[in-house]
Amino acid sequence: MKHCGFLLFVSIAIMLCLLETACGQTLLGVLEEPQCNDRNGTAVRALFAKSEAGWISLSSQSAARGIDLEKINWVIGLHGREIGKIKTLDPGFSTPYQWTYPRDKLLNISPNQTIPRVADKLHLFAGWCRAPKNRPLVVVSNGSVSDPDNWEPFKPEASLIARVFVQFRKHAGPAVICPGHSDSSVVFSYTSNDLEALAGYKDRSGRKLISVRLKPRTDGCEGPPDEAWDSHTFLVTTQSTYLGAGLTLVDAGDYDANGKSALLFWFGGYNQDGYVLFSSDLAKEADYLWQYH
């Protein structure tokens, strides 16, 4: 009798596991308004899965193979707090062009659910097309949205902008202007006074993130702008560390429940958008990027 009871318990456990998302595997994604695709409205994009080796990007069919995305329960987070829950269904996906998979692979939101929305008032999450009406929100399955490192926004002072200037010039490179809207460009010898801060964040230990760019001018040249006019993000402690161009912080959270906050950024570039995940020590963990043509 005890043996039969044990078998019944195991059978029930297996059934429950099959009903759960990937049998307890931690998944990280975003609730978003897909860029350059008005038909999709709001959808969920599954970005990363946690494995023993770390976070795995789900940006290809081969990488996503074995991850059960059919029915998932997600927790929606913002600023270290749970702001809602949502269920998704996998509509399936097929394409003769593998490069379109990370761009077009989306999960449908189950009907009759309340979808939280946070307006992108400052147009911070612009991509190849335009900024969405509402900003992306982090969603987690079998994980956490708490933020033990307590990242919060602050206004960077001019002295902090000056501290990252040397690193900015090294990575952003030269810039040109076209005085009087002429067809002839000249080198713009910019200084730290020509930089502006787009965003700043600091954590409880005093670490700071700052995103800066050259201030917009009326004498810019036509065509794709130099990288110096794009945003560039730095980690500032006792020294300045360059994180990358085109990054906008989506949120910070302890997504794999390891007691530390990872940081998820939106990335917008030339014919390329996506998301980049950094660990709590601001080392790049994984990215999920796509192109439009």
Side-chain angles (χ1 to χ4, degrees):
M1 183 66 69
K2 290 183 178 180
H3 181 67
C4 293
F6 175 76
L7 290 178
L8 178 61
F9 172 80
V10 171
S11 298
I12 293 174
I14 292 174
M15 291 177 64
L16 290 174
C17 181
L18 291 174
L19 290 172
E20 289 293 325
T21 302
C23 291
Q25 184 166 24
T26 299
L27 300 176
L28 174 62
V30 285
L31 174 67
E32 65 167 20
E33 296 173 357
Q35 301 269 343
C36 306
N37 192 341
D38 295 332
R39 293 177 300 172
N40 280 301
T42 302
V44 166
R45 191 185 300 273
L47 300 174
F48 309 107
K50 189 61 185 288
S51 70
E52 292 183 358
W55 288 100
I56 299 172
S57 174
L58 303 179
S59 57
S60 68
Q61 285 182 303
S62 59
R65 189 173 295 118
I67 306 296
D68 184 7
L69 301 176
E70 184 176 357
K71 295 181 180 180
I72 304 180
N73 296 322
W74 302 91
V75 171
I76 307 168
L78 182 63
H79 305 324
R81 298 182 297 106
E82 178 183 320
I83 63 171
K85 295 181 179 180
I86 201 168
K87 297 179 180 180
T88 58
L89 302 173
D90 186 0
F93 184 82
S94 62
T95 176
Y97 308 106
Q98 290 301 313
W99 67 270
T100 66
Y101 180 88
R103 183 192 68 187
D104 298 334
K105 175 59 180 178
L106 299 166
L107 302 178
N108 292 340
I109 298 171
S110 299
N112 303 319
Q113 296 186 89
T114 300
I115 303 173
R117 305 181 193 277
V118 179
D120 183 18
K121 296 180 180 179
L122 300 179
H123 307 293
L124 297 177
F125 298 93
W128 179 239
C129 291
R130 60 182 181 275
K133 180 179 179 181
N134 297 294
R135 56 158 293 166
L137 297 171
V138 165
V139 294
V140 182
S141 180
N142 298 313
S144 169
V145 295
S146 66
D147 176 18
D149 290 343
N150 194 27
W151 285 97
E152 59 183 14
F154 80 103
K155 184 177 181 179
E157 61 275 12
S159 60
L160 189 62
I161 297 175
R163 285 183 60 186
V164 304
F165 176 70
V166 172
Q167 284 285 319
F168 178 92
R169 186 168 54 187
K170 174 183 176 181
H171 293 281
V176 297
I177 55 177
C178 293
H181 302 287
S182 68
D183 295 330
S184 300
S185 63
V186 297
V187 174
F188 177 38
S189 299
Y190 59 86
T191 69
S192 63
N193 292 329
D194 296 303
L195 301 183
E196 66 175 0
L198 296 177
Y201 299 89
K202 60 182 179 180
D203 73 353
R204 63 178 182 177
S205 69
R207 296 184 300 172
K208 296 178 179 179
L209 287 175
I210 178 174
S211 295
V212 298
R213 70 174 180 185
L214 283 177
K215 297 175 183 176
R217 295 172 59 97
T218 59
D219 54 1
C221 301
E222 294 185 1
D226 301 311
E227 285 194 9
W229 303 101
D230 198 358
S231 67
H232 295 262
T233 300
F234 302 85
L235 169 66
V236 183
T237 54
T238 56
Q239 59 184 9
S240 300
T241 303
Y242 183 64
L243 298 185
L247 298 174
T248 302
L249 183 65
V250 178
D251 210 1
D254 183 14
Y255 304 128
D256 57 0
N258 70 348
K260 301 178 181 179
S261 298
L263 291 91
L264 181 67
F265 289 85
W266 163 256
F267 169 81
Y270 185 84
N271 186 35
Q272 190 174 52
D273 289 334
Y275 296 90
V276 184
L277 182 65
F278 285 80
S279 65
S280 60
D281 59 0
L282 276 299
K284 183 178 176 181
E285 287 260 13
D287 58 39
Y288 186 113
L289 306 174
W290 62 87
Q291 296 179 322
Y292 294 97
H293 56 75

